[in-house]
Amino acid sequence: MKKQLPLVFMLVLVSGMAFSQTKTKLPVKKAVSALEKLLAGSGLPYNMVNDSLAVIPYGGENIVSYKVLIQSISDLIIVFTDLSEALPGKIDSSKYKYLLQQNNQFDVVKICISGEDNSVNLRADLYKAGTSNVLLKRVIEQVANVTNIIGGDFK
């Protein structure tokens, strides 16, 4: 019995060490935002800046390179481009009247002018509840196409 006591003690000690070892944890998958799910289904190349903002690079015949931004805010998805950035030095206050008149030419996409920083944006708003991958892709492409069209007017 005395000979078995050290053996039992060693078995308890070894089994305790085996159970106390840390187990490898699987990496936690990051939850995919609703905006990213919609964009992934659209088939367009995008870069997520954060859970509520994505950027899609575009280029066209009139503007070589510009960005279409998709912002998810509350129950809206806002798709827009910054014309001031896409057409640097070509838009000033003398062009505002012409740009605002162009709102009559486009149904979904509207031109917005900020009085604070004199920036000009093309914008389309969608309600999240009624937005599908196909609809979002169509609106993104419309914003991109109108940006390119307006760029042609300022060549």
Side-chain angles (χ1 to χ4, degrees):
M1 178 84 164
K2 289 184 179 182
K3 292 182 179 180
Q4 292 178 350
L5 189 58
L7 182 62
V8 171
F9 180 71
M10 287 299 286
L11 284 173
V12 170
L13 184 63
V14 169
S15 64
M17 288 177 14
F19 286 116
S20 69
Q21 290 182 357
T22 59
K23 297 186 181 193
T24 58
K25 294 182 180 180
L26 297 174
V28 178
K29 290 184 179 179
K30 182 182 173 187
V32 177
S33 69
L35 177 61
E36 189 168 1
K37 286 179 186 177
L38 282 171
L39 288 169
S42 73
L44 296 171
Y46 64 92
N47 296 319
M48 293 299 294
V49 175
N50 57 44
D51 287 344
S52 64
L53 179 65
V55 177
I56 298 176
Y58 264 93
E61 184 179 317
N62 299 317
I63 304 174
V64 177
S65 176
Y66 57 97
K67 299 174 192 171
V68 176
L69 294 101
I70 301 91
Q71 178 80 51
S72 176
I73 300 173
S74 187
D75 62 341
L76 285 177
I77 296 175
I78 302 168
V79 181
F80 66 99
T81 59
D82 185 346
L83 273 179
S84 304
E85 182 182 301
L87 300 166
K90 294 186 178 183
I91 298 177
D92 57 24
S93 60
S94 67
K95 309 288 192 302
Y96 290 171
K97 182 177 179 184
Y98 168 77
L99 286 168
L100 291 176
Q101 288 171 340
Q102 295 308 300
N103 277 324
N104 293 327
Q105 304 299 316
F106 309 110
D107 294 332
V108 175
V109 180
K110 295 302 171 194
I111 299 170
C112 310
I113 298 173
S114 170
E116 293 176 8
D117 59 359
N118 296 324
S119 64
V120 179
N121 297 309
L122 285 168
R123 174 179 168 159
D125 298 344
L126 300 164
Y127 286 106
K128 285 181 186 176
T131 302
S132 66
N133 302 343
V134 174
L135 177 61
L136 181 61
K137 180 179 181 180
R138 187 179 312 145
V139 170
I140 290 169
E141 288 173 343
Q142 284 179 351
V143 169
N145 289 336
V146 171
T147 301
N148 196 43
I149 290 167
I150 296 292
D153 294 341
F154 288 97
K155 274 189 165 181

